[in-house]
């Protein structure tokens, strides 16, 4: 069997794979895994060796350690046909594994390969299986083999019903490629494909809705700091995106420190980056308010121009310090990967950002409602002159408000660093959308910011499949313009004599 691996003919190599799998030898999985990984070496004399991951060599036939690679030995090359044979063989070898997860993987491999040589092993495993989920996977794998090789209507029709319950794209492709189906089988397959298409359309809609909520959460954390400063101070801060960028670069510096001095604690890097990013951004915000904006109150055009110029300065400063290219910011283990829920594929980083955005929103609501500073901020927002007459130091409130809004923008940068490129232009991608969210929801109203962000995010993702990304965004912009014509103060306008005057 192993001698076939020395051939340069891929048919002989595939036959060797089948022979090794059928042998029942305990070393068969290791041989096939080495072949798939390119670590199986064949010598001209027929000797076949496995190169271990540590760099040593083992005789594939006996398992004995070798002092060196066989003379003239070369790695065995494989093509797609051989890879399919390996997948099918590995599936049949692990169908009786003690671990249910391995049996599920084996069933998936057999379903994908649809190799009828695995059918006897699959039937034996099916007779012994007690786990309902694994048994269903075995039934689907057997049905896939039956449909791929063809047969009588009595075998094909139940097989169609079995795989149709799975209802994914792979099943649809399987049903579309049934060889020479009878009229009854063709009708059953067409009906099953129709049900699958309906199910996939529903799940695609739900997936788009989730993507919209995910985008809305990103817009929320990018806009929520702007909603505070814009609402309380009436300042059009065009440097808000660069404050977000400072938070992202703070995350980069923290992760670089962890990589250099405590790589085993990397998963805790975001816990350190969050307060540091808030502090750095808040101090930058206080400096901007004290150094520039406090001299320009009541002059919105000048504040717009001044903060726009400041945004260019901050971009160039970061570009000079860190370079123009993207910086690597990694995901901790608990934010990496994805999982399936029904027909949805959910990535952990996006899901955590949704949770994080809601937590930031809740924290800000608590600050505004239950702290003295929050009460003063609300008073200044509703009627600045009356608040000043009541003894509130409005200049101090402005400074702290700008600092808090900038600090929130900084922690937004921490979140955005997990899903976007960290570069000097990071903030430019969110500043326009942030202003749209704030104006649409209602200036200074956090509930309006929440509803506006989620509404725009969902609308954007629902429009993309039909209109495309660019036209979809244009349609949303036109819709906001028309909406503002009808309700100039947004969805949730603030209440108060000064606000309503």
């Amino acid at each position: 069997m192993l001698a076939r691996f020395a051939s340069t003919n891929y048919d002989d190599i595939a036959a060797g794979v089948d022979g090794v799998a059928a042998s029942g030898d305990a070393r068969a999985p290791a041989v096939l895994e080495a072949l798939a990984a390119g670590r199986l070496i064949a010598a001209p004399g027929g000797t076949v060796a496995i190169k271990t991951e540590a760099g040593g060599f083992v005789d594939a036939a006996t398992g004995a350690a070798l002092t060196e690679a066989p003379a003239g030995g070369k790695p065995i090359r494989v093509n797609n046909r051989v890879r399919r044979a390996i997948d099918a063989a590995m599936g049949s070898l692990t169908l009786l594994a003690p671990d249910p997860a391995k049996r599920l993987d084996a069933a998936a491999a057999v379903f994908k390969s649809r190799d009828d040589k695995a059918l006897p092993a699959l039937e034996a495993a099916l007779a012994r299986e007690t786990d309902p989920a694994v048994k269903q996977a075995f039934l689907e794998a057997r049905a896939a083999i039956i449909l791929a090789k063809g047969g009588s209507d009595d075998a094909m029709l139940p097989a169609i019903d079995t795989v149709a319950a799975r209802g994914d794209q792979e099943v649809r492709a399987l049903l579309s490629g049934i060889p020479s189906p009878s009229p009854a089988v063709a009708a059953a397959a067409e009906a099953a494909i129709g049900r699958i298409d309906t199910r996939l359309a529903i799940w695609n809609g739900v997936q788009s809705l989730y993507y919209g909520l995910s985008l809305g959460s990103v817009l929320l954390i990018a806009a929520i700091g702007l909603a505070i400063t814009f609402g309380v101070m009436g300042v059009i801060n065009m440097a808000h995106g660069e404050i977000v960028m400072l938070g992202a670069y703070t995350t980069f510096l923290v992760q670089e420190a962890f990589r250099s001095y405590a790589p085993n604690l990397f998963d805790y890097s975001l816990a350190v980056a969050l307060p540091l990013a808030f502090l750095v951004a808040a101090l930058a915000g206080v400096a901007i308010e004290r150094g520039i904006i406090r001299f320009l109150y009541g002059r919105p055009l000048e504040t717009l121009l001044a903060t726009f110029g400041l945004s260019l300065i901050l971009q160039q400063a970061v570009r000079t310090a860190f370079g123009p290219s993207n910086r690597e910011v990694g995901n901790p283990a608990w934010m990496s990967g994805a999982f399936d829920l029904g027909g949805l594929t959910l990535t952990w980083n996006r899901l955590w950002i949704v949770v994080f955005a809601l937590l930031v929103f809740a924290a800000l609501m608590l600050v505004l409602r239950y702290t003295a500073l929050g009460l003063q901020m609300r008073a200044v927002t509703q009627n600045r002159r009356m608040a000043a007459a009541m003894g509130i130091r409005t200049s101090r409130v402005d400074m702290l408000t700008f600092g808090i809004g900038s600090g929130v923008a900084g922690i937004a940068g921490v979140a955005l660093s997990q899903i976007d490129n960290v570069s000097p232009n990071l903030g430019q991608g969110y500043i326009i959308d942030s202003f749209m969210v704030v104006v649409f929801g209602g200036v200074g109203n956090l509930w309006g910011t929440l509803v506006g962000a989620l509404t725009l995010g969902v609308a954007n993702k629902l429009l993309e499949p039909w209109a495309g990304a660019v036209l979809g965004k244009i349609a949303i912009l036109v819709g906001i313009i028309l909406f503002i014509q009808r309700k100039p103060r947004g969805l949730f306008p603030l209440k108060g004599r000064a606000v309503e005057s």
Side-chain angles (χ1 to χ4, degrees):
M1 295 176 294
L2 293 176
R4 291 180 177 269
F5 291 141
S7 174
T8 57
N9 188 307
Y10 289 123
D11 291 338
D12 288 339
I13 297 173
V17 170
D18 295 337
V20 168
S23 68
D25 192 287
R27 291 184 296 275
V31 172
L32 295 180
E33 287 176 2
L35 178 60
R39 293 186 288 106
L40 197 64
I41 298 173
T47 302
V48 178
I50 298 173
K51 183 179 181 180
T52 65
E53 293 182 357
F57 297 92
V58 175
D59 190 298
T62 64
L66 302 175
T67 57
E68 60 182 8
K74 295 181 179 179
I76 300 170
R77 299 175 62 185
V78 298
N79 62 359
N80 288 336
R81 180 175 175 233
V82 175
R83 291 189 187 95
R84 287 194 295 269
I86 294 171
D87 290 341
M90 290 298 294
S92 63
L93 285 172
T94 53
L95 286 170
L96 298 175
D99 186 357
K102 290 186 177 180
R103 298 200 298 275
L104 276 174
D105 291 341
V110 174
F111 185 95
K112 186 176 180 179
S113 67
R114 299 160 200 164
D115 189 348
D116 58 357
K117 298 184 184 68
L119 194 55
L122 184 60
E123 295 285 4
L126 190 57
R128 295 176 50 181
E129 188 57 58
T130 57
D131 187 299
V134 178
K135 189 167 187 176
Q136 179 61 30
F138 284 170
L139 289 171
E140 291 170 356
R142 182 178 67 176
I145 293 174
I146 292 171
L147 293 173
K149 72 175 183 178
S152 65
D153 288 1
D154 292 339
M156 298 282 281
L157 293 175
I160 290 174
D161 292 336
T162 299
V163 297
R166 177 167 161 168
D168 55 18
Q169 287 284 5
E170 198 167 7
V171 170
R172 192 188 188 288
L174 173 64
L175 294 175
S176 300
I178 295 176
S180 305
S182 67
V185 170
E190 184 176 353
I193 289 172
R195 294 195 300 272
I196 291 172
D197 287 342
T198 301
R199 179 180 183 273
L200 290 176
I202 293 172
W203 279 115
N204 285 338
V206 176
Q207 185 82 59
S208 295
L209 181 62
Y210 169 72
Y211 285 155
L213 293 175
S214 174
L215 175 61
S217 68
V218 171
L219 294 178
L220 175 63
I221 59 177
I224 198 167
L226 185 64
I228 297 173
T229 56
F230 197 11
V232 175
M233 306 165 66
V235 173
I236 303 174
N237 180 18
M238 295 301 293
H240 181 77
E242 280 58 50
I243 303 297
V244 173
M245 175 194 66
L246 291 180
Y249 272 96
T250 301
T251 308
F252 163 70
L253 292 175
V254 169
Q255 288 198 348
E256 285 297 294
F258 270 86
R259 288 190 181 100
S260 300
Y261 302 108
N264 56 320
L265 299 177
F266 183 81
D267 285 347
Y268 300 96
S269 60
L270 290 189
V272 176
L274 279 172
L276 283 178
F278 181 89
L279 183 61
V280 169
L283 291 176
V286 169
I288 293 169
E289 197 278 336
R290 291 289 88 183
I292 299 175
I293 291 177
R294 73 188 179 104
F295 301 109
L296 301 174
Y297 287 132
R299 298 152 63 186
L301 181 60
E302 283 85 346
T303 58
L304 187 152
L305 293 175
T307 53
F308 177 70
L310 179 63
S311 72
L312 298 179
I313 293 172
L314 289 175
Q315 283 186 50
Q316 189 57 47
V318 170
R319 190 174 285 110
T320 301
F322 297 98
S325 57
N326 297 337
R327 290 295 178 171
E328 180 186 358
V329 175
N331 293 130
W334 48 274
M335 288 187 71
S336 302
F339 66 97
D340 293 329
L341 180 64
L344 298 176
T345 300
L346 308 179
T347 56
W348 281 111
N349 60 351
R350 289 276 180 177
L351 187 60
W352 276 113
I353 286 177
V354 172
V355 174
F356 177 72
L358 295 177
L359 289 176
V360 171
F361 176 82
L364 282 175
M365 289 297 296
L366 292 175
V367 169
L368 289 176
R369 185 169 293 275
Y370 296 109
T371 67
L373 176 60
L375 179 62
Q376 293 173 6
M377 289 170 59
R378 285 185 286 139
V380 172
T381 301
Q382 294 178 18
N383 195 320
R384 177 177 289 271
R385 290 183 179 179
M386 182 61 72
M390 296 296 293
I392 295 175
R393 296 168 55 190
T394 57
S395 62
R396 177 178 176 272
V397 172
D398 288 338
M399 179 186 70
L400 294 178
T401 299
F402 206 87
I404 291 174
S406 299
V408 172
I411 60 176
V414 178
L416 293 177
S417 70
Q418 301 300 297
I419 59 172
D420 206 343
N421 296 322
V422 176
S423 71
N425 299 319
L426 171 66
Q428 294 298 302
Y430 297 96
I431 184 65
I432 301 301
D433 288 339
S434 296
F435 274 109
M436 283 201 302
V437 167
V438 172
V439 173
F440 176 63
V443 175
N445 191 312
L446 291 188
W447 283 109
T449 304
L450 173 66
V451 174
L454 296 182
T455 300
L456 294 183
V458 170
N460 202 347
K461 289 301 179 182
L462 290 179
L463 283 174
E464 275 186 10
W466 290 278
V470 176
L471 287 179
K473 192 171 287 291
I474 292 174
I476 289 174
L477 181 58
V478 171
I480 290 176
I481 292 172
L482 295 176
F483 176 82
I484 296 301
Q485 295 293 318
R486 299 284 297 178
K487 297 191 68 173
R489 291 199 294 269
L491 282 172
F492 299 96
L494 288 173
K495 304 293 184 181
R497 288 192 182 98
V499 172
E500 294 174 354
S501 62

